[in-house]
Amino acid sequence: MLPFSKSGPIAQRGLHTVIRANIGSRSVHVAERAYLAPLFARHRTYATSTTTITDPVVLTESRKTTPNNKKKTLVLLGTGWGSTTILKSLDTNSYNVVVVSPRNYFLFTPLLPSCTVGTTESRSIMEPIRHIIGRRSKDIRFYEAQCTDIDMTKKELVLEQGEELDSASNQSTRINYDYLVVGIGGTYNTFGTPGVEKYACFLKEMGDVSKIRRRIKDAIEKASFANISEAERDRLLHMVVVGGGPTGVEFAGELHDLIADDLSRWVPELASKIRITLVESLPNVLPSFDKKLVYYTQLMFKKTGINLLTNTTVKKVDEKTLTVSNSVSGSETEIPYGNIVWAAGIRARQFAHTLRAKVPDVQTSGRGLIIDDYLRVQGTEDIWALGDCTVSKNAPLAQVASQQGKWLSKAFNTMAKDRNERTISGSSLILTKTSPFVYSSNGSLAYIGGEKAIAELPFFNKSIVVGGPFTSVFWKAYCLWELSSVRSSLSVATDWAKRAMFGRTISVD
């Protein structure tokens, strides 16, 4: 679903690293001033640290930057909708800004389903976070790392390099903050269903796109062999989507387009046998949309041959079959599949639960961080949270996170102008300087396949609901407008033009 909205050097009070290396059979301990510089950083900072050498490590040095100790240090965790919106609107001259995320780019999630089938190329919807930082201030620091722990008394964060980095040079780093914004987003929720983690694909991150593409390609190529049974061929060509929300519906629509527009030309003998089944536990798909749009979507799916299983929950997933249960009749059915994409549910990431554990008496929800109307994390001081990792009266939508980011950046800008800002806690100051955050829905869009889309747009005190080919044109135009840069907009427009002229490709490494 498309969110319908627009969206100095660091004061390092403590930055420590532990590096280990073996030199022969000896263990060497060295106390030194170690320069810490994340990959591609424009500026470097240093700190006194104790280094235990147990692995061969090369320390590089560069010019140091002198932090402005008169400014508060604001740490942003995450590079999603909320955090990037703050980066774009924040007065970076008023704060020492640090961005921490294992993902060094902003991902335009509304077009993620289209990347799975080659309608849009992956890099077109990935905006490097350093490009965004470069347009704001050269003094903003970025660490490509996971935040794994927090000491709220010392106002200290523990950072660990991601698993994708070279394990031989992994480092544990501690940085301090004055203000902390948690915008780490959410991840998939399996609801404890057996076999989902092992056998299903998810659709949440860019890495999931390549996995889905490979599964689709492999299923089609295996089905093309003449020496397999018809039952096995039918299984391989059965694509199951679990989750009738915007992501599941859009992926099913994109998959239909791949079959109708491209596979029908490449492998016509197989394209007619490919089946798509969408499983939804509720009575209807797209429960947050107007009933007229829900009816229109289900009607279009019926016409295009997408099978809908509503009031149906997945009980378990095996290597080649999944077991579903109908909540109305109570019957269970075993369904063979060739590929299954899980797009049902969302839950907070691990750091949100780590922070919750620090104040268990207040943070009582297992779904994420409980925040108030000022986006403050309940039970903490000078910590705010926004987006999918939070629990509030607002839905976990991209446009909610974007609006929260705009509101919070304005609040920080207002706080920075107050002369008493250095002596009064931010959690207290924000109460006197700002009004509570109020979410205002700007409407919703969703692509449903067959060059058709649906839209629900606010108009005074009513909503305009519309669907069809013209809405698809409007959806595409708004995607181009909403993308984070001219580069991304041109890239996506070029992808669509290439698809129109030459067709899609699902080639993978």
Side-chain angles (χ1 to χ4, degrees):
M1 186 177 78
L2 181 67
F4 206 85
S5 65
K6 283 293 293 178
S7 47
I10 313 308
Q12 299 286 355
R13 295 184 298 174
L15 182 55
H16 312 285
T17 183
V18 177
I19 307 174
R20 296 187 175 91
N22 279 328
I23 302 179
S25 59
R26 297 180 300 161
S27 179
V28 182
H29 302 269
V30 182
E32 63 181 10
R33 297 178 78 84
Y35 287 82
L36 304 180
L39 189 62
F40 304 133
R42 292 174 178 264
H43 297 271
R44 317 286 184 178
T45 60
Y46 66 89
T48 301
S49 67
T50 300
T51 303
T52 304
I53 303 179
T54 55
D55 279 304
V57 177
V58 178
L59 297 179
T60 60
E61 295 189 6
S62 180
R63 58 189 177 88
K64 66 181 180 180
T65 59
T66 304
N68 188 339
N69 292 319
K70 294 182 179 180
K71 297 192 293 186
K72 297 282 189 179
T73 296
L74 172 62
V75 177
L76 303 177
L77 298 184
T79 52
W81 287 91
S83 298
T84 22
T85 303
I86 293 177
L87 271 179
K88 292 176 182 178
S89 307
L90 183 71
D91 180 6
T92 55
N93 293 321
S94 299
Y95 295 94
N96 299 311
V97 183
V98 185
V99 182
V100 178
S101 175
R103 191 174 72 185
N104 66 354
Y105 56 88
F106 166 73
L107 181 63
F108 189 75
T109 50
L111 289 178
L112 196 60
S114 70
C115 291
T116 60
V117 297
T119 305
T120 308
E121 290 303 320
S122 301
R123 290 190 178 275
S124 300
I125 64 170
M126 299 164 64
E127 182 69 15
I129 196 65
R130 294 190 182 277
H131 288 189
I132 298 174
I133 289 174
R135 293 194 291 265
R136 298 292 296 136
S137 171
K138 294 181 180 180
D139 293 330
I140 298 175
R141 297 300 304 273
F142 171 69
Y143 292 98
E144 186 176 338
Q146 293 270 7
C147 185
T148 58
D149 203 359
I150 180 173
D151 187 330
M152 293 191 294
T153 303
K154 296 180 180 179
K155 287 193 170 182
E156 190 176 73
L157 299 172
V158 178
L159 311 183
E160 297 283 349
Q161 291 181 340
E163 294 179 355
E164 70 278 8
L165 300 180
D166 183 8
S167 59
S169 60
N170 276 0
Q171 298 180 358
S172 175
T173 304
R174 294 177 181 270
I175 64 172
N176 290 97
Y177 68 89
D178 293 302
Y179 299 148
L180 174 65
V181 177
V182 183
I184 55 178
T187 186
Y188 54 82
N189 192 348
T190 65
F191 304 101
T193 307
V196 175
E197 289 269 7
K198 185 175 182 180
Y199 298 113
C201 296
F202 301 98
L203 189 48
K204 190 67 180 173
E205 299 290 345
M206 189 52 71
D208 301 327
V209 169
S210 297
K211 186 176 180 180
I212 293 172
R213 277 194 184 193
R214 185 173 290 105
R215 290 274 187 94
I216 294 173
K217 176 189 71 69
D218 289 348
I220 293 171
E221 297 300 340
K222 288 178 182 179
S224 65
F225 282 85
N227 61 344
I228 64 172
S229 66
E230 283 302 315
E232 176 65 5
R233 184 174 287 108
D234 288 342
R235 181 192 70 80
L236 289 169
L237 298 178
H238 188 201
M239 311 294 176
V240 177
V241 184
V242 181
T247 301
V249 166
E250 290 183 331
F251 173 69
E254 293 283 358
L255 190 56
H256 161 267
D257 290 351
L258 173 68
I259 299 167
D261 300 340
D262 300 282
L263 297 184
S264 59
R265 293 186 292 112
W266 301 344
V267 281
E269 69 282 3
L270 297 178
S272 60
K273 299 180 180 180
I274 299 176
R275 294 174 296 139
I276 305 173
T277 298
L278 193 150
V279 180
E280 169 56 43
S281 61
L282 297 177
N284 298 294
V285 298
L286 300 174
S288 62
F289 278 71
D290 185 272
K291 291 182 179 179
K292 294 179 181 178
L293 296 178
V294 172
Y295 174 77
Y296 177 77
T297 300
Q298 294 184 161
L299 181 63
M300 289 299 103
F301 275 13
K302 185 177 181 180
K303 288 184 177 180
T304 55
I306 298 176
N307 181 35
L308 285 179
L309 295 180
T310 55
N311 292 309
T312 303
T313 56
V314 178
K315 292 299 183 180
K316 68 174 181 176
V317 179
D318 295 316
E319 185 178 4
K320 296 182 179 181
T321 62
L322 71 152
T323 304
V324 300
S325 174
N326 186 282
S327 59
V328 177
S329 64
S331 61
E332 289 193 357
T333 307
E334 191 174 79
I335 302 175
Y337 71 88
N339 188 22
I340 179 170
V341 175
W342 188 274
I346 191 171
R347 61 181 173 85
R349 295 183 184 273
Q350 182 56 47
F351 180 75
H353 299 297
T354 300
L355 182 54
R356 282 181 50 243
K358 306 293 182 179
V359 282
D361 295 338
V362 180
Q363 293 292 331
T364 56
S365 174
R367 294 188 293 118
L369 298 169
I370 301 174
I371 59 174
D372 63 11
D373 291 339
Y374 292 86
L375 310 186
R376 300 177 302 176
V377 178
Q378 294 293 277
T380 69
E381 189 77 14
D382 293 337
I383 301 178
W384 293 261
L386 69 174
D388 295 348
C389 66
T390 64
V391 177
S392 68
K393 58 187 177 184
N394 300 310
L397 301 173
Q399 64 171 301
V400 173
S402 182
Q403 289 187 27
Q404 287 175 330
K406 287 183 179 179
W407 181 91
L408 198 52
S409 62
K410 290 180 181 178
F412 281 129
N413 292 341
T414 302
M415 289 162 53
K417 297 176 183 177
D418 194 285
R419 293 182 179 179
N420 298 320
E421 188 253 355
R422 288 186 61 81
T423 58
I424 303 175
S425 72
S427 296
S428 301
L429 191 63
I430 201 170
L431 292 175
T432 61
K433 295 297 179 181
T434 61
S435 301
F437 169 75
V438 178
Y439 167 63
S440 175
S441 176
N442 293 315
S444 300
L445 289 163
Y447 181 73
I448 60 174
E451 294 300 323
K452 296 180 178 65
I454 56 175
E456 185 174 354
L457 310 175
F459 185 74
F460 293 102
N461 295 325
K462 298 181 179 180
S463 292
I464 298 176
V465 295
V466 61
F470 175 77
T471 311
S472 177
V473 175
F474 180 73
W475 173 80
K476 290 180 179 179
Y478 195 80
C479 280
L480 297 178
W481 173 258
E482 185 71 10
L483 282 159
S484 57
S485 68
V486 175
R487 181 198 70 87
S488 295
S489 298
L490 291 175
S491 296
V492 170
T494 302
D495 291 341
W496 289 342
K498 289 191 296 184
R499 192 271 305 169
M501 290 187 289
F502 308 114
R504 298 171 178 82
T505 175
I506 56 172
S507 300
V508 288
D509 294 333

